[in-house]
Every structure is written in C-alpha cells, then in structure tokens.
Amino acid sequence: MKDTILSFEDVKLIYHTVRGETVATEGLTFSVEEGEFVAIIGPSGCGKSTLLSLAAGLLTPSEGTVVRRGSVGYMLQRDELFPWRTIEKNLFLPLEVKKKLTPDAKRRARALAEKYGLGDFLQSYPAQLSGGMRQRAALIRTLAAEPDVLLLDEPFSALDYQTRLNVTQDVSEIIRSEGKTALLITHDISEAISLADRVIVLTGRPARVAHVHTLDFGAVTDPLRRRENGQFSGWFELLWKELNA
Amino acid sequence: MKHTETFSAEHRAFLKKRRLRLALVWTLRIGLLLGLLILWELSTRLGWADPFLTSSPSRIAQTIASLYEEGTLFYHIGTTLWETAVGFAAATVLGCTVALALWWSDLLHRVLEPYIVVLNALPKIALGPLIIIWFGTGSEAIVFMTVIVGLIVVIMHMLTAFLAADPGKVLLLRSMGASKFQILKKLVIPSSLASFISMLKVAVGMSWIGSIMGEYIVSRAGLGYLIVYGGQVFKLDLVLSATCILALLAAVMYFLIALLEKLLVKNAES
Ligand SMILES: Nc1ncnc2c1ncn2[C@@H]1O[C@H](COP(=O)(O)OP(=O)(O)OP(=O)(O)O)[C@@H](O)[C@H]1O
Ligand SMILES: [Mg+2]
C-alpha cells in the first residue's frame, strides 16, 4: 500500500562500558509505513530509547541494518526548550542548525505556531509558559523542520495527568492533521491505544518484537473518543498481559 | 512599574515597609563606616591608641593628599590598576580559550587533567624567584604573576560550566544533525553565561591577589609596593593609605562586573 519509511532488520546494539557490555536490542525487526502512527511499548529499561536513537541515526547498529527514508524530528520527555531563547527562536532552532532558516521557513514555523495556539507566545520565554504549552511548543519546533518521521520518546510522561490528557489530545490532532508519520515510545498502555494505528510490544532487554497489533478503531483517531470506545478495555487487557508476560 | 493607586492598601503598606527597611539597611551600613572611622580617629586623638602603630583617618587623608601633591598618587594607582587589568583580561581570555579546547577534545582534557590539578594546588608565590629571573623586576613580571594566579581558576570554572551543558539538549541538537561547533555555539556557550559572570567575579579577586603579590616580590611602583615599602620603613600611614585605596578599587571593579552582569542578562533576554 504505502512506502516503508523506516525499517529495522535484525538489529543488534551493544553498549560498551568499562564495567562490561550491555546488549540493548537483538534481532529487532519491524518497519513503519508512511503516514502511520506506531506506538512502541515495552518494560522499563528494555531498550526503547536506544531504538529511537538508532532510528534517528545517532547510534550505529552493532549488527543488522536500519534503513530510513527522509529526515527525522526528535521529541523528548522533557521539552528541552532553550530558556534563553524566545519561543519563536526556539521554533527556529532546527532550521538554524540545518541552515534552512529562510524567510519562507520562518513564515511556516510562525503559521504552525498560530494554528496550534502559540501565536500569542512567540515572543515569550519558555519559563513563562505552562508545562503543557511548552510541550506543544516542543512539538511545533520538531515540526518546523518538516521531518518525514517524528520520533517521540515518552513525550508526555513528565506532565501531570490532566495536562497529559490535553496535550495528548493536541499532539494527536496536530500529527494527524499534518499527516505525519510518527513513532511513539511510551510505557503507558492506554496512551498507546488511544493514539496509534499499530502497537508494537517489546520483550525485556535485549529488546525484540514480542507482538504487533493493528488497532481497528475504524476512523476514530481522537484519543478521548477512543478511550470511550468499547474496544478500548479489551486492548488494554491484552497489552497489559503481553507486557507483563 | 504599575501605578500605586491600583494597589490594595495592604500592598501599599507592604511596599512602604520594604522601602523603610531598605533605607534602614543603608543608614546602618553608612553609619557603621562612619562610626568606625570616628572611633578610630578619636582613639588616637584621646591617646587610647598610638597613632604610630594604628595610624588614623586624618593621617591617612593627609598621606594620600601628600602623595597627590608629590604627583605619585595616580602613578602608583595607575601602575597597579594596569597590571591587574591586563592580568585579568589575559587570564580570562587565555583561560576561556584553554577551557574551550579541553571541552572540544576529551583526549586533551584527560591528558592535561593531572597537570591542571597540580598547578591549581601549587602556591603561585613559590614561582617568585623564577619570575624575577625570567621577567626582571618590571611590570611584565607582575602581569605574569597575575595571569598565573587567575588562569587555572578560570580554566576550571569554565570547563565545569561547558561540561555541564544539558545532555538532553545535546541529544536534541545531535538529532537535528548539529555539528560539534554548532552545539558549542548554540548550547554550550549560551548556557555558560551565568558561570562566565560568576567566574569574572572570582577572577577579579584573583587578579588583585596576583598583582599585589607580584608587587610584594618585585616592584618599584604600585600600591603593593607602597604597602611593602611603608612596612619596611615603619610608615603605617602609608601602608593603610594604600590598603584603603586598594579596597576602594577592588570594590569599584567588582561593581563594574555586577553592572556588566545586568547588561548581559538583559541582552540575553531581549
Ligand atoms: N550510553 C549507554 N551506555 C551504556 N549502557 C546504556 C547506555 N544507554 C542505555 N544503556 C543501557 O541500555 C539499556 C536500555 O536503555 P534504554 O535507555 O534504551 O531503555 P529504555 O527502555 O528507554 O528505558 P526507560 O524505560 O527507562 O526509558 C539499559 O539497561 C541501559 O542501562
Ligand atoms: Mg527511555
């Protein structure tokens, strides 16, 4: 149907330290199609962040191959906005780094900010924004460079529950309406179910694919609506069991 | 600043209380100084203390006035100020450069680490004779002393700041494809600004130590020279005059940096 934008093939990664070596992933194989929203869940410490670093090309696999078509945008657990830059300057950061800070790109970044409710805060500093707003700014910064794949490493886990539901809602809406491909790491099962088209369950370390599920919520992509959906608890139970197997 | 009339009575009372408090602090500060000076002066006039040993504010004022009339006051001040300022600037520039190099190359950092630790622990005054032999007894020797006293402190302070750059932000920049130079420019240097200013404050203090120490060892001019000379010929008036001027200059230099801090912080936010 669509093109594969990211694929892992039998990937193994070993971390070396003086104390010894840690095999973070081994025999890891999966792929992400264009326009797809994939969530990855796994026990803590199993190698999820490692997987994203591999996907971003920040780590080179010890064995196997990672093939990526296009550019990536990384979003982390903390917003990592630079406190000495205004929100606008923060949004421009990836463009500056990639030397693509054209008037056109600036206009696009500002338009994104306007569209997703940050228009009034462009000249504010991160410290003046709430946690939820900051995370939204971090997403828009990621989108400003127009990446082909979004890599999200537990982007909501530092937020309190209420904010988290709201930001999840926002982020889902933004990613869906921008038609972006996304790979989301989380250890929150309900977050995975409410956001993704497909959920990949990893084993404990070294991380390997244990199960893959395509979620058939039909056309329902709204996280809150999904949570109200009858299938939700079924998925939750299944994933819970698989994660704790 | 908002208009006072929009504030509640309670808030106005709060503001008034703060203003009074501030006024009290300043009155006491100045009062303390004046009180000490008066006590000092009186104790010598009333014969409680021997002015030959303790000098007195009026004798200090006279000494400074006569230095001025001889035309040597600003010569001595200028000499010390120049040595301190040059040493301070050189230590800062050189220290930051070395710290940058050490941040850039982990290998260099590892190799040089023990040398830096030893140089930091070494009492610089031990180098006095060497400095005299190498640089003679002119200003160069004193500037050199000032630099070595400040340099290691600057390096260690700035390197710590550079290495403390948030690893999450480094990861973020790397994911954007940033080069090492870009990480330095966009993250490491801006995030070290606060440390840079606190380093300047420490370095100014070190520079005064260096220049006065240098003048103690070798010199024919400067405030440190006046102090040593005054001590040798038992002119306590001269020793204390030079010390008072030194205190004043050190305070001025510190406030200049505090001012710079305000400017930089303001600039960083606009
Ligand atoms: N730079 C590193 N050097 C050595 N070992 C590492 C390094 N980074 C991670 N590890 C180890 O690799 C394993 C996987 O780490 P990773 O951060 O990928 O797990 P994770 O699933 O993201 O964990 P968490 O749930 O805590 O986010 C862990 O055991 C970790 O200790
Ligand atoms: Mg992780």
Side-chain angles (χ1 to χ4, degrees):
Chain A
M1 134 202 132
K2 278 179 177 165
D3 293 333
T4 300
I5 202 157
L6 177 73
S7 75
F8 277 55
E9 200 79 32
D10 219 5
V11 171
K12 178 175 185 177
L13 187 111
I14 309 174
Y15 282 115
H16 301 277
T17 61
V18 188
R19 294 228 187 81
E21 50 183 350
T22 308
V23 182
T25 71
E26 190 170 14
L28 184 65
T29 303
F30 72 92
S31 60
V32 178
E33 309 298 313
E34 194 173 344
E36 208 183 11
F37 198 132
V38 176
I40 293 188
I41 57 175
S44 82
C46 75
K48 302 184 293 297
S49 297
T50 305
L51 184 155
L52 275 200
S53 292
L54 284 162
L58 297 175
L59 291 173
T60 315
S62 311
E63 280 172 26
T65 50
V66 175
V67 179
R68 178 165 33 91
R69 250 190 347 98
S71 60
V72 299
Y74 220 124
M75 186 171 165
L76 299 154
Q77 186 172 347
R78 292 185 300 140
D79 55 71
E80 305 295 4
L81 294 169
F82 289 17
W84 56 85
R85 285 173 168 246
T86 57
I87 294 301
E88 181 177 60
K89 288 272 158 55
N90 267 291
L91 300 185
F92 291 166
L93 182 68
L95 298 167
E96 283 175 30
V97 169
K98 291 173 203 257
K99 303 211 162 62
K100 284 187 196 157
L101 192 60
T102 58
D104 220 36
K106 281 188 186 176
R107 211 168 315 120
R108 249 181 290 115
R110 287 201 198 96
L112 272 175
E114 293 283 348
K115 190 167 163 195
Y116 298 114
L118 281 172
D120 294 339
F121 297 96
L122 283 175
Q123 300 314 322
S124 309
Y125 285 88
Q128 295 166 280
L129 270 63
S130 67
M133 286 284 226
R134 293 167 59 126
Q135 207 55 349
R136 208 187 307 173
L139 177 65
I140 292 170
R141 172 184 60 194
T142 314
L143 292 172
E146 308 202 297
D148 299 301
V149 195
L150 291 172
L151 304 175
L152 313 168
D153 194 352
E154 309 199 30
F156 314 118
S157 59
L159 303 171
D160 62 81
Y161 187 69
Q162 192 65 35
T163 315
R164 188 172 177 155
L165 285 185
N166 288 329
V167 176
T168 307
Q169 196 76 15
D170 290 348
V171 165
S172 160
E173 198 189 309
I174 296 172
I175 291 176
R176 297 280 182 189
S177 69
E178 299 295 319
K180 289 288 174 194
T181 312
L183 182 58
L184 168 79
I185 301 285
T186 175
H187 53 231
D188 183 333
I189 299 171
S190 48
E191 197 169 275
I193 306 170
S194 62
L195 282 166
D197 301 320
R198 205 147 57 90
V199 177
I200 297 176
V201 184
L202 297 179
T203 63
R205 188 165 53 86
R208 231 186 274 261
V209 175
H211 305 274
V212 182
H213 302 285
T214 304
L215 303 180
D216 42 10
F217 282 95
V220 185
T221 53
D222 182 296
L224 278 181
R225 306 288 294 283
R226 280 195 178 187
R227 282 175 194 265
E228 292 159 359
N229 193 294
Q231 295 182 41
F232 192 89
S233 58
W235 282 120
F236 190 94
E237 250 169 70
L238 178 67
L239 292 174
W240 171 265
K241 276 197 198 114
E242 290 177 355
L243 203 53
N244 292 289
Chain B
M1 200 74 203
K2 285 178 189 150
H3 293 296
T4 324
E5 55 265 32
T6 61
F7 290 146
S8 67
E10 190 175 302
H11 190 70
R12 265 176 284 149
F14 164 81
L15 286 180
K16 188 170 176 198
K17 202 170 157 198
R18 281 208 40 163
R19 265 200 311 277
L20 284 176
R21 180 101 192 150
L22 198 66
L24 179 68
V25 167
W26 273 103
T27 313
L28 286 179
R29 274 180 187 166
I30 294 166
L32 182 66
L33 181 67
L34 286 178
L36 282 175
L37 287 177
I38 290 170
L39 187 68
W40 190 3
E41 184 68 37
L42 276 182
S43 62
T44 53
R45 298 252 166 138
L46 299 178
W48 302 338
D50 183 354
F52 181 67
L53 290 179
T54 62
S55 187
S56 76
S58 60
R59 292 172 66 136
I60 288 175
Q62 271 166 22
T63 311
I64 295 177
S66 68
L67 281 174
Y68 177 71
E69 275 154 24
E70 288 166 25
T72 55
L73 177 66
F74 289 110
Y75 171 62
H76 288 298
I77 291 180
T79 304
T80 302
L81 209 53
W82 168 251
E83 290 158 355
T84 310
V86 172
F88 167 68
T92 303
V93 172
L94 210 64
C96 288
T97 312
V98 172
L100 276 179
L102 295 180
W103 175 84
W104 190 275
S105 163
D106 186 52
L107 180 67
L108 195 66
H109 179 195
R110 286 303 190 79
V111 170
L112 294 185
E113 202 168 18
Y115 295 95
I116 291 175
V117 170
V118 171
L119 279 181
N120 184 47
L122 180 78
K124 312 302 176 290
I125 196 141
L127 301 175
L130 276 185
I131 293 176
I132 298 176
I133 293 166
W134 290 345
F135 292 93
T137 55
S139 268
E140 295 86 356
I142 294 151
V143 170
F144 186 76
M145 187 59 132
T146 310
V147 172
I148 55 170
V149 168
L151 185 63
I152 303 290
V153 178
V154 175
I155 294 176
M156 302 220 300
H157 204 108
M158 289 321 291
L159 183 60
T160 310
F162 293 155
L163 290 175
D166 186 343
K169 294 190 172 60
V170 174
L171 183 71
L172 183 78
L173 282 171
R174 290 216 299 130
S175 80
M176 296 171 185
S179 64
K180 196 161 187 174
F181 183 71
Q182 282 179 318
I183 293 175
L184 180 69
K185 199 173 110 194
K186 305 232 179 270
L187 174 65
V188 173
I189 291 179
S191 68
S192 304
L193 183 66
S195 294
F196 178 74
I197 289 163
S198 69
M199 176 279 288
L200 287 184
K201 287 178 180 167
V202 177
V204 160
M206 296 310 270
S207 303
W208 284 111
I209 294 176
S211 62
I212 297 303
M213 207 159 81
E215 288 181 354
Y216 276 17
I217 303 171
V218 289
S219 70
R220 277 159 296 179
L223 294 169
Y225 162 78
L226 287 185
I227 292 173
V228 172
Y229 170 74
Q232 282 166 351
V233 299
F234 256 78
K235 274 168 118 179
L236 274 263
D237 294 340
L238 190 59
V239 172
L240 283 164
S241 298
T243 309
C244 288
I245 296 173
L246 203 54
L248 202 69
L249 289 179
V252 169
M253 218 148 152
Y254 188 88
F255 281 118
L256 282 180
I257 288 178
L259 206 68
L260 180 75
E261 175 173 17
K262 277 204 179 127
L263 278 175
L264 282 179
V265 170
K266 228 190 222 156
N267 263 340
E269 279 175 11
S270 64

